[in-house]
Amino acid sequence: TLTAPAPFADETSCQCQAPHEKLTVAQARLGTPVDRPVRVYADGIFDLFHSGHARALMQAKTLFPNSYLLVGVCSDDLTHKFKGFTVMNETERYEALRHCRYVDEVIRDAPWTLTPEFLEKHKIDFVAHDDIPYSSAGSDDVYKHIKEAGMFVPTQRTEGISTSDIITRIVRDYDVYARRNLQRGYTAKELNVSFINEKKYRFQNQVDKMKEKVKNVEEKSKEFVYKVEEKSHDLIQKWEEKSREFIGNFLELFGPDGAWKQMFQERSGRMLQAFSPRQSPNSSPTRGRSPSRSPSPPWVFNKASPPSSPKAASASLSSMSEGDEDEK
């Protein structure tokens, strides 16, 4: 597990103690020599260190089963002379390389063109770089002599990412980054922005803030309307459920076969019975007369069979009077 950044070459002694015999690529791929790792060298500017740089160093580190990766970083003076201005200074670029997991050692102020003395000093076995001819410093390919010596091992470039691409994005979106940094507290002098552009960027920042506020209000209003619609839907659904329950209870109570009709019928029947009780039968069973008892007088009414109506009562009275006259 890595617990510290890679050391600088000028602050440590070479870890290769055995004699530096010349190796071929085939021998190195087989894992020889056994007493030391294969020393691989990769160099570059490494400005705005990105994944393309890290991927190239990973390939250089894994070229052989047992390898020790040395990375040379050119200084600001040398880079500005042969390539151009950098975004990061040399100290920042050195530190970026030291914290890459594939790097075992960093060589500061590396030469632009590799010399035999430099290769011998650092006991370098192979040089790793992409195979595209690199024309610079008056040469069509600065790695030509390394290739001829059989010490060159190619790596693959990562398409779609490079320092030039990143700088192009920054230049293309310069206004956006300038406005962002002004908003974060940087001064116009630090950004090399004129007074007029500063005012323009600050005004654009205010406009963007207003747009953001309007957007937030619209989103909140949409959210509020959605919640209201959701609540209204729930209320309508609950009202429908309650209305169905109410209608069911009403029909159960007041419907054609409801409980209220049955109760009303029962009460009306009881009232009819109370106002008009049932009549007794017209004929009652005849009892045997006792010879010792005299017949009842004709004017005595039968208690068991009262006259059914006033007319019947008057008829019985008239018959009784006629009987009296006959007796007389």
Side-chain angles (χ1 to χ4, degrees), residues 50-92:
H50 52 75
S51 61
H53 295 142
R55 184 177 174 83
L57 295 176
M58 178 189 70
Q59 295 178 60
K61 176 68 176 178
T62 57
L63 284 172
F64 308 109
N66 184 20
S67 61
Y68 184 86
L69 181 60
L70 300 92
V71 180
V73 184
C74 300
S75 64
D76 287 345
D77 293 338
L78 205 59
T79 304
H80 298 167
K81 178 180 178 181
F82 290 107
K83 189 170 184 178
F85 191 74
T86 59
V87 177
M88 300 169 63
N89 59 45
E90 59 185 28
T91 303
E92 294 169 337

Side-chain angles (χ1 to χ4, degrees), residues 17 68 71 78 86 166 213-214 221 226 279 302 305 307 321:
Q17 302 298 332
Y68 184 86
V71 180
L78 205 59
T86 59
I166 297 174
K213 288 182 180 180
V214 171
S221 61
Y226 174 76
Q279 294 181 359
N302 189 359
S305 57
S321 65

Side-chain angles (χ1 to χ4, degrees), residues 42 63 114 163 193 233 263 281 293 295 306 325:
L63 284 172
L114 301 178
T163 302
V193 173
H233 179 73
M263 183 174 64
R293 297 179 68 179
E325 290 178 357

